[in-house]
Amino acid sequence: MVLLDRHRAIKFLEDVGIVDGEALLARDPLIFINTLIGSFMTHLPFQCVSLMAQTVEERHVPSLEEVVEAGLSLEGGICFTLNVFMGILLRTFGFHVQFLDGSYSASKDHHTHIVLLVKDLRSPEDDHFIDVGGGHPFLAAVAVDSLPVTFHQAGLKYTYCRRGDLVLRFHHENRNPETGQDVVAKEGRQVFHFSLNPVDFEDIRSNMDKVYVYEERSVCLQGIRAVRFPPADEIQTEDIGIIGTDTNEKSLDNKQNLNEEIEKTSMNKRDSGKKSFEENDKDDFQPTSGARAMNVETKDKNLGKELEARKSAELSDDRIMVAMKDQSLLLGRVDAATKTKVCNEKWTATLKNLFPTIPPAKVNLAVLKMIQKQS
């Protein structure tokens, strides 16, 4: 049975704003993948609202058919849904994709994360990994042989490094977006780790029940989480008026700060200047429409590896975080996000407005469940 045919895959590309996707694929597979990742992170939210909307009896690890539906509808989901859908999509376009077993480093449970490995992308042993399901900025495929490499995306600086067959992701956070407090992270905070040894898909799926089913073991069943990383100019600041807080003064201050942050980010993007694809063809590094500008640091001073890292990390630094953690709304750059508490009366409206692809009925059920927990 074909889970996703070419026609529906192309329709998906159009739905996330990628026109002439097949021409882009024929031109350069890596640029195609990175453009897709950028659009993916804009439109498909990492979210557990859909899980929170389920009853205990309804909880289950989604089938591949359900994964495809959640992807094509732009509903999104958690790591298993997002990364598996991306893997199916890439296979439909002819890529050699394998699954990698990972874990949230702070969790007591192992085998709770999944990452993709794209094999032989442009030549034999030219392998890249992809992780669009972590709930954190990830805007381009990373070449395995470019590690260690550090990126700065949407206001978050993070590093991938290799320890034998393991790859570890560290965050270097200057400010906790939830508390607003400064964070000293000299070596970085380890967030994920995964093995570079491909595993059978069913082995990963069999471990996902502790994420999808058992509330006492799954952070995704403890509360509402939703996040995406659109370009700053795609968020209309007038829409922020839907937010309700416990104090009007706080709401006005946060709205003003956010407007200033978005305008500053948009101005920086405009001032940096844009190049056409024709001009980009002349460069060693070719930014794409889905990932236009790049800021990469790497400890490896070898020029060849640095160029490879740049080619595999076509990043857009004009992006912001749009996130909700229960009733806390976080908007702006990750290291300078504005935090606003949303009142009960505005909770569903805020989620529906900023995450319009999550089915409204599921938002209603998830919020109702959370309000009942409070009482």
Side-chain angles (χ1 to χ4, degrees):
M1 180 182 65
V2 177
L3 288 168
L4 180 62
D5 59 40
R6 190 92 169 191
H7 175 75
R8 289 201 298 164
I10 293 172
K11 175 63 166 55
F12 171 82
L13 296 183
E14 295 171 351
D15 289 343
V16 297
I18 301 176
V19 296
D20 298 327
E22 288 189 296
L24 185 59
L25 172 61
R27 179 184 170 199
D28 190 313
L30 181 57
I31 291 179
F32 170 83
I33 285 179
N34 289 344
T35 302
L36 174 58
I37 291 173
S39 296
F40 207 95
M41 298 297 286
T42 295
H43 296 282
L44 277 79
F46 174 94
Q47 57 93 1
C48 60
V49 177
S50 299
L51 296 185
M52 288 295 297
Q54 294 178 341
T55 64
V56 174
E57 294 75 21
E58 290 172 331
R59 293 174 186 167
H60 65 284
V61 180
S63 66
L64 289 176
E65 291 79 9
E66 289 173 314
V67 165
V68 170
E69 176 56 33
L72 293 179
S73 67
L74 310 186
E75 178 178 349
I78 60 175
C79 66
F80 181 80
T81 297
L82 294 172
N83 278 328
V84 171
F85 174 70
M86 174 64 89
I88 292 171
L89 184 65
L90 290 176
R91 284 180 175 178
T92 301
F93 286 111
F95 291 96
H96 181 191
V97 180
Q98 295 178 324
F99 297 104
L100 303 177
D101 181 39
S103 300
Y104 291 82
S105 299
S107 174
K108 63 182 180 180
D109 284 321
H110 301 294
H111 316 295
T112 52
H113 192 51
I114 181 172
V115 179
L116 303 177
L117 183 68
V118 182
K119 297 284 294 181
D120 309 325
L121 184 57
R122 293 158 302 180
S123 61
E125 299 184 7
D126 179 30
D127 300 339
H128 292 67
F129 61 84
I130 294 173
D131 185 3
V132 292
H136 301 290
F138 184 95
L139 298 175
V142 178
V144 172
D145 63 5
S146 73
L147 302 178
V149 63
T150 298
F151 305 115
H152 194 175
Q153 302 172 339
L156 175 67
K157 181 179 178 181
Y158 65 93
T159 296
Y160 281 109
C161 65
R162 184 171 179 175
R163 307 270 175 83
D165 289 333
L166 284 182
V167 174
L168 295 77
R169 174 167 171 144
F170 291 90
H171 287 184
H172 310 274
E173 295 151 318
N174 297 321
R175 178 173 176 262
N176 186 322
E178 294 181 25
T179 65
Q181 297 177 342
D182 291 337
V183 175
V184 178
K186 194 170 183 180
E187 298 299 325
R189 176 173 64 90
Q190 186 175 325
V191 180
F192 300 120
H193 59 274
F194 58 90
S195 170
L196 286 170
N197 297 316
V199 296
D200 184 78
F201 171 77
E202 284 303 322
D203 289 339
I204 292 178
R205 190 177 188 279
S206 65
N207 279 294
M208 285 293 158
D209 56 353
K210 51 198 165 194
V211 179
Y212 282 88
V213 178
Y214 301 114
E215 183 172 346
E216 67 278 6
R217 299 176 67 176
S218 174
V219 67
C220 295
L221 291 171
Q222 299 295 324
I224 287 175
R225 305 287 187 275
V227 61
R228 60 192 184 92
F229 297 92
D233 57 8
E234 290 191 16
I235 296 297
Q236 302 300 315
T237 55
E238 59 266 23
D239 291 339
I240 302 168
I242 65 169
I243 300 170
T245 64
D246 294 335
T247 63
N248 291 331
E249 181 179 358
K250 181 179 179 183
S251 178
L252 290 173
D253 288 344
N254 281 343
K255 181 175 178 180
Q256 180 179 356
N257 293 340
L258 177 62
N259 288 349
E260 291 173 354
E261 175 65 27
I262 291 178
E263 178 61 22
K264 179 181 176 182
T265 303
S266 298
M267 287 178 64
N268 289 340
K269 182 185 69 172
R270 291 193 296 268
D271 293 342
S272 66
K274 297 182 180 179
K275 294 183 178 181
S276 66
F277 270 112
E278 290 72 18
E279 290 173 312
N280 290 334
D281 283 339
K282 302 173 184 177
D283 298 336
D284 289 327
F285 165 62
Q286 300 175 347
T288 71
S289 59
R292 292 177 289 274
M294 186 277 298
N295 179 7
V296 175
E297 302 171 7
T298 178
K299 295 179 181 179
D300 195 325
K301 300 303 182 182
N302 179 276
L303 179 60
K305 280 196 173 184
E306 184 173 351
L307 288 175
E308 184 61 28
R310 287 173 177 268
K311 288 179 181 178
S312 68
E314 298 165 3
L315 311 180
S316 173
D317 206 30
D318 66 342
R319 290 176 180 264
I320 61 171
M321 173 178 63
V322 178
M324 282 203 72
K325 182 176 181 181
D326 295 329
Q327 287 182 263
S328 293
L329 173 64
L330 298 131
L331 288 167
R333 306 281 286 174
V334 174
D335 58 356
T338 299
K339 180 184 178 184
T340 307
K341 183 176 180 181
V342 180
C343 66
N344 285 354
E345 291 74 16
K346 300 293 185 180
W347 199 348
T348 56
T350 303
L351 272 168
K352 291 175 183 179
N353 187 75
L354 296 177
F355 300 92
T357 58
I358 303 176
K362 294 183 179 181
V363 174
N364 293 342
L365 289 170
V367 171
L368 178 61
K369 184 180 292 186
M370 291 296 297
I371 292 176
Q372 289 172 342
K373 279 188 175 184
Q374 295 173 0
S375 61

